[in-house]
Amino acid sequence: MNICVIGTGYVGLVTGACFADFGVNVTCVDKDGEKIKKLNHGEIPIYEPGLKEIVDKNLREKRLFFTTDINESIRKSLVIFIAVGTPPRGDGRADLSYIEDVSRAIAENLNGYKVIVTKSTVPVGTGKLIEKIISEERRQGHLFDVASNPEFLREGSAVEDFMRPDRVVIGARNEQAIAILRDLYTPLYLIETPFVVTGLETSELIKYASNAFLALKISFINEIANVCEKAGADVHVVAKAMGLDRRIGPKFLHPGPGYGGSCLPKDTAALLNIAKGVNYDFKLMDAVMAVNLNQRKLMLVKIKDAVGKLKGKTIGVLGLTFKPNTDDVRESPAIDIINGLIKEGAIVRAYDPAGMKNAASLIADKAIYCKDSYEAAEGSDCLVIATEWNQFRILDMERVKSLLKRPVVVDLRNVYEPDAMRKMGFEYKSVGR
Ligand code: UDX
């Protein structure tokens, strides 16, 4: 089968490479010629474990192609995945102009039956919009179906998530489209992946409901952590005991500076807008988002409590990305916290294993970028752990203590044991313990 994936961003590239690895012929399309040139040489523009290996392998085996020629790619494909961006507009709603452009290109090049599938997260009703554009603008009367097949890929483990997903969701109105998509996912049948087959709108909403629920779990445990701090309780034990209840589950109950990244912040805001659009006041979603932003402010207060006035103090910050194993700093709590520190007159010595280049344009000019964790600690009044990269879990704490001006550690990801840190002579603060 020939398919094409339009948009070689994060979702498109992982989707294209993984389908090629399933044995399908995949053409990945992007209008950015430089990017396509690099991809054709096996240069991967994002940091994603395992991705380069499967891109290289499938380029070599001639099942994966990269091109800027959208017209030809559409014409030769039975299935077209749309994975272009839907950035938030000023009013919080998603900007669908890229989706609309692609739909027009599909209409122009429709030369036989095709299934058009949305892979990027799109507002409810986008499938219908694509159907309308193609129906109105197609030149000949060729048939087509529109389907929704949302991705649930986590950055840092996207390839693994694609190859071994918890579920695959397919939304479509027509049996033929469903059968073709099932066929594409044959390798996942063999490992007994559950398939949820449903209507277009339901499928579109599943993605938002899932991400919003994850965000809700995080905001919930962060509020519990804040109560624990005041009540003298330990949030980790609370979360562990809660998670043993199978109705609740243990995942996404880790407290910290709040969620970030390209998905949860955008999808919670979009869901709120979807609700508004149908005249529903989704109070819980509003609260989840407000709690998340407030959590960043509380982390700043925590650092202030540890060092006293921030003006003139030097703060070492470990971790800039929104989570470990990625170079993505979008909506990263660490960035907000650092900008807050600088605004109040602190000098920041920052280190991140992968995110420093991306972070530089988002952080006020004054930050100092260090070559490792120890350089960030050197001469600092306090060391803040903002992202739980593995290398921050195994620091030589005696060395850290000797480098710091004062032995103060504020651990926003609860990586270290409070008792052990205090025994070593640190003034140690974490979240909810
Ligand atoms: C998320 C969803 O998990 C994925 O299914 C969807 O397709 C895209 O959005 P991602 O944004 O890559 O994936 O990251 P994820 O691992 O979900 O973490 C999101 C944020 O929540 C991170 O900032 C992380 O630090 C934070 N988090 C996560 C917590 O603070 N506590 C937790 O218990 C879990």
Side-chain angles (χ1 to χ4, degrees):
M1 195 192 297
N2 288 321
I3 70 167
C4 72
V5 180
I6 301 177
T8 56
Y10 187 80
V11 171
L13 186 54
V14 173
T15 302
C18 290
F19 273 131
D21 212 56
F22 283 177
V24 179
N25 295 322
V26 183
T27 307
C28 290
V29 189
D30 205 289
K31 54 183 177 191
D32 180 345
E34 260 320 291
K35 196 180 200 179
I36 291 297
K37 209 190 273 167
K38 285 187 177 156
L39 283 164
N40 269 320
H41 288 104
E43 271 179 61
I44 311 290
I46 53 171
Y47 177 94
E48 188 58 46
L51 185 57
K52 178 162 172 54
E53 288 77 2
I54 57 167
V55 168
D56 283 348
K57 176 175 162 231
N58 288 285
L59 273 174
R60 218 172 32 239
E61 293 175 4
K62 301 208 170 0
R63 273 193 305 272
L64 182 61
F65 306 90
F66 294 102
T67 179
T68 51
D69 187 348
I70 186 169
N71 299 327
E72 174 60 17
S73 305
I74 292 168
R75 282 198 290 268
K76 69 177 188 204
S77 298
L78 172 62
V79 183
I80 298 153
F81 282 92
I82 304 181
V84 294
T86 53
R89 299 191 311 191
D91 61 359
R93 284 190 296 162
D95 177 355
L96 295 181
S97 55
Y98 297 122
I99 300 244
E100 290 168 7
D101 292 347
V102 170
S103 305
R104 284 191 195 100
I106 295 171
E108 268 173 39
N109 291 287
L110 201 66
N111 56 352
Y113 175 76
K114 294 184 194 298
V115 186
I116 294 102
V117 193
T118 52
K119 194 70 179 156
S120 10
T121 306
V122 294
V124 179
T126 304
K128 216 178 195 171
L129 173 75
I130 297 171
E131 279 174 347
K132 183 170 175 281
I133 294 175
I134 301 180
S135 300
E136 285 174 1
E137 303 197 12
R138 68 188 151 165
R139 292 211 179 118
Q140 294 143 321
H142 294 298
L143 296 178
F144 68 95
D145 277 306
V146 172
S148 151
N149 173 222
E151 51 85 17
F152 300 97
L153 309 173
R154 288 165 302 169
E155 290 189 22
S157 43
V159 173
E160 172 71 16
D161 286 348
F162 194 98
M163 299 290 189
R164 265 171 280 278
D166 288 340
R167 78 303 207 184
V168 172
V169 175
I170 296 173
R173 306 193 203 285
N174 181 304
E175 281 306 320
Q176 188 178 0
I178 293 165
I180 290 171
L181 286 177
R182 277 185 193 274
D183 205 28
L184 259 179
Y185 280 107
T186 303
L188 297 187
Y189 271 105
L190 304 177
I191 55 169
E192 292 179 16
T193 306
F195 276 67
V196 178
V197 177
T198 180
L200 256 181
E201 287 74 16
T202 304
S203 171
E204 289 169 343
L205 198 65
I206 286 171
K207 174 61 193 273
Y208 286 107
S210 302
N211 271 357
F213 193 76
L214 293 174
L216 176 139
K217 273 188 111 174
I218 298 168
S219 278
F220 183 85
I221 203 64
N222 282 337
E223 294 227 273
I224 294 288
N226 299 340
V227 174
C228 282
E229 283 183 12
K230 292 189 191 293
D234 182 337
V235 68
H236 277 254
V237 184
V238 174
K240 186 172 177 205
M242 282 172 67
L244 287 169
D245 184 328
R246 266 174 297 194
R247 292 168 304 176
I248 298 173
K251 302 273 173 67
F252 273 68
L253 288 179
H254 194 84
Y259 58 82
S262 64
C263 286
L264 301 192
K266 176 163 85 83
D267 292 352
T268 42
L271 182 56
L272 200 59
N273 261 297
I274 291 167
K276 259 190 210 141
V278 292
N279 280 326
Y280 183 76
D281 180 15
F282 201 152
K283 291 198 181 66
L284 199 49
M285 214 62 267
D286 229 351
V288 165
M289 293 167 64
V291 166
N292 193 52
L293 289 184
N294 193 48
Q295 191 68 5
R296 299 176 181 193
K297 293 198 186 117
L298 292 179
M299 299 299 109
L300 208 54
V301 172
K302 201 182 272 294
I303 299 168
K304 233 187 278 182
D305 282 351
V307 297
K309 253 180 53 191
L310 285 168
K311 198 165 174 19
K313 296 276 168 45
T314 303
I315 314 290
V317 179
L318 302 185
L320 301 173
T321 52
F322 79 100
K323 67 173 190 179
N325 302 323
T326 174
D327 63 354
D328 197 340
V329 295
R330 282 177 287 177
E331 300 283 335
S332 171
I335 305 286
D336 261 9
I337 292 166
I338 289 176
N339 283 332
L341 291 169
I342 292 175
K343 199 165 159 211
E344 295 208 24
I347 299 154
V348 170
R349 297 174 66 80
Y351 171 68
D352 187 282
M356 294 208 280
K357 201 166 134 226
N358 288 341
S361 61
L362 301 176
I363 293 178
D365 287 345
K366 286 183 204 127
I368 300 163
Y369 295 95
C370 300
K371 72 169 194 309
D372 62 21
S373 306
Y374 300 103
E375 199 176 284
E378 202 173 343
S380 293
D381 294 274
C382 163
L383 188 66
V384 176
I385 301 174
T387 313
E388 69 280 29
W389 283 89
N390 272 341
Q391 58 174 272
F392 303 153
R393 297 174 186 272
I394 48 161
L395 293 173
D396 174 350
M397 276 300 172
E398 285 299 345
R399 187 171 163 208
V400 167
K401 204 167 81 185
S402 71
L403 289 168
L404 282 169
K405 205 188 286 172
R406 288 172 52 205
V408 182
V409 170
V410 179
D411 179 359
L412 303 182
R413 298 286 183 169
N414 292 359
V415 167
Y416 287 95
E417 275 309 313
D419 283 347
M421 289 295 283
R422 283 176 200 132
K423 256 190 216 133
M424 283 182 75
F426 281 101
E427 189 191 317
Y428 175 79
K429 280 182 188 293
S430 56
V431 184
R433 300 187 293 177

